[in-house]
Amino acid sequence: MPNNSLGRPTVCFIDHDALRWNMRQIRAKVGAKIKILCMVKANGYGHGATAVSQTLTGSGADAFGVATMEEAVELRQAGMSAPIIVLAGVFPDQLGELISNELVPVVYDVEILKQLDAEAQRRQKTLGVHLKIDTGMGRLGVLAADAKEWIAELKNLRALKLEGVFSHFSHAESVEGDYTRKQLAIFNEVIAQLRAQVLAPPLVHFANSAATITMPAAYFDMVRPGIMLYGVYPSAAMASQIVLKPVLSWKTKILQLKKVPSGASISYGQTFVTKRESLIATLPVGYADGYSRLLSNRGAVLVGGQRAPIAGRVCMDLTMIDVTDIRNVQQGDEVVLLGRQGPAEISADEMAAWTNTISYEILTSVGARVPRIHYNT
Ligand SMILES: Cc1ncc(COP(=O)(O)O)c(C=O)c1O
């Protein structure tokens, strides 16, 4: 792992060999014929979208998925030439930029379909789109139950080219349940209707990470893995099915080390009062870096290969830890917030459990103030 010489030592290290490894596992799972759309929305799940996409391009990514047009333009400007699908909303006034950057928006409602088609016709341009079908996620998408109506509209399109059709599972951590099977059955029914009318596009897709790992019936032409690319399992049980390597680790260094007497109050609001003479370390990281305030008096970090609990409230820029029980701690020592140190590890899942959230939110919440240092092992 490279040395951080940027000054403030609170940084994320992004392991591109681990990223390549995870991509190889996905390819091995799905085989050579299924395309892989790599989800790099939200700044590559917090890892740095451009750098991650460059590495994934070299590892055989067939397409990229982002949430916003701005995220897509960033990738195009960085030289990514693969198809980029904009998944979380399209607005008619974005048409010019979508066309000039060869981006593929997702459409999810008949009105938008018509508006985009009219606007593209007016400009005498064509635009490829993917149609999202709501099979039970209850989010974006035309309702499968309304298929007759929107299939009729598909026949009227002049300037829009239907390149893909897809859906999204409601369950991201496991796809073993009845509800998932029901979603898949509804989707298969819609695809059959499209095929019957010779309207099925070349790319049919459904699988998130969980389905990529455990549900080949949901592969169709392309899978859309996100969290597993970054080395995090959709659920702990899936570790027996595929070996993934965490890509991100988050580190800092001890800023100040202080011996305080018993009865000393640490941080805002006196929520932590020492019960003995204690050694308290102050770290240059806080909730403005995305280090959740919910970790106050709950989370832990790694120092010298051991766990040290967070003492008192996480502040905006600083956090205190109790290192009384760790030997030979020095000012400037490395502290791991997320990742490995010797035999010890704090995973995104563990941190998520401390803050009552999911690994996705942990990774995507690391702030813009924290530099990402990209490296190969
Ligand atoms: C439409 C869509 N497809 C695929 C994914 C990837 O899901 P996962 O990260 O669980 O693999 C997401 C993530 O939220 C998504 O919104």
Side-chain angles (χ1 to χ4, degrees):
M1 204 170 287
N3 251 336
N4 163 37
S5 54
L6 291 171
R8 188 173 185 251
T10 305
V11 295
C12 281
F13 293 96
I14 309 298
D15 180 349
H16 284 247
D17 281 335
L19 189 60
R20 283 187 204 94
W21 167 275
N22 297 332
M23 186 64 179
R24 279 201 299 277
Q25 308 319 301
I26 298 171
R27 177 57 72 202
K29 250 297 163 225
V30 303
K33 289 195 185 128
I34 307 288
K35 287 189 180 347
I36 301 175
L37 178 149
C38 295
M39 294 298 292
V40 294
K41 59 180 179 167
N43 196 27
Y45 283 45
H47 294 63
T50 299
V52 158
S53 303
Q54 275 159 348
T55 291
L56 292 172
T57 297
S59 300
D62 296 292
F64 292 107
V66 295
T68 70
M69 193 188 69
E70 290 74 10
E71 291 176 347
V73 170
E74 181 193 327
L75 296 188
R76 273 286 178 264
Q77 285 176 350
M80 250 59 72
S81 59
I84 303 176
I85 303 187
V86 181
L87 285 141
V90 58
F91 306 91
D93 61 4
Q94 293 179 324
L95 197 88
E97 206 157 354
L98 290 168
I99 291 170
S100 63
N101 287 287
E102 293 184 51
L103 304 175
V104 181
V106 162
V107 285
Y108 36 82
D109 133 338
V110 170
E111 259 329 291
I112 291 174
L113 205 62
K114 286 192 206 163
Q115 279 175 26
L116 285 178
D117 193 47
E119 185 57 23
Q121 280 187 61
R122 200 180 63 75
R123 295 170 188 236
Q124 298 186 314
K125 301 276 187 197
T126 53
L127 178 72
V129 298
H130 284 219
L131 181 71
K132 187 165 194 181
I133 299 167
D134 183 359
T135 54
M137 173 69 180
R139 201 169 68 172
L140 286 180
V142 289
L143 283 171
D146 297 341
K148 267 210 180 84
E149 288 156 45
W150 53 257
I151 285 178
E153 288 301 334
L154 292 179
K155 291 180 185 157
N156 297 331
L157 296 180
R158 296 284 166 271
L160 295 196
K161 200 164 152 250
L162 189 65
E163 292 178 348
V165 62
F166 74 106
S167 191
H168 191 50
F169 287 117
S170 164
H171 290 272
E173 62 294 342
S174 159
V175 287
E176 314 265 271
D178 288 348
Y179 196 72
T180 300
R181 275 192 286 278
K182 190 172 153 203
Q183 280 191 268
L184 186 59
I186 291 171
F187 189 65
N188 274 319
E189 171 61 26
V190 172
I191 299 299
Q193 288 182 53
L194 285 168
R195 289 210 173 110
Q197 312 227 19
V198 203
L199 280 170
L203 288 173
V204 175
H205 48 112
F206 206 159
N208 57 5
S209 292
T212 301
I213 297 171
T214 61
M215 199 182 208
Y219 289 175
F220 298 96
D221 304 302
M222 182 162 82
V223 293
R224 295 192 315 271
I227 197 78
M228 68 184 299
L229 278 170
Y230 307 98
V232 178
Y233 295 98
S235 65
M238 288 190 198
S240 62
Q241 315 233 17
I242 192 166
V243 177
L244 302 173
K245 297 185 180 176
V247 174
L248 179 145
S249 44
W250 190 3
K251 298 186 178 183
T252 188
K253 289 182 178 164
I254 293 176
L255 186 63
Q256 188 186 15
L257 199 56
K258 205 166 24 181
K259 195 174 267 183
V260 296
S262 176
S265 165
I266 307 297
S267 195
Y268 287 113
Q270 293 180 285
T271 63
F272 183 95
V273 178
T274 55
K275 294 196 178 73
R276 55 182 174 165
E277 185 182 74
S278 300
L279 196 55
I280 301 293
T282 301
L283 309 179
V285 65
Y287 60 77
D289 297 295
Y291 198 65
S292 175
R293 191 167 176 276
L294 296 172
L295 292 163
S296 302
N297 292 313
R298 294 195 73 179
V301 301
L302 304 176
V303 183
Q306 290 183 57
R307 279 170 184 251
I310 292 173
R313 290 205 174 125
V314 171
C315 307
M316 188 183 291
D317 317 297
L318 300 167
T319 297
M320 276 60 75
I321 55 170
D322 185 350
V323 291
T324 314
D325 294 328
I326 304 178
R327 286 157 67 97
N328 299 326
V329 179
Q330 308 284 325
Q331 195 170 310
D333 277 1
E334 179 193 85
V335 176
V336 170
L337 308 170
L338 199 57
R340 283 189 167 281
Q341 193 182 53
E345 181 175 15
I346 293 174
S347 68
D349 281 320
E350 187 175 16
M351 191 181 273
W354 289 331
T355 56
N356 196 23
T357 185
I358 51 174
S359 56
Y360 299 68
E361 188 174 0
I362 296 293
L363 295 175
T364 57
S365 296
V366 181
R369 185 163 91 173
V370 180
R372 276 38 168 200
I373 299 181
H374 298 272
Y375 73 102
N376 298 292
T377 37

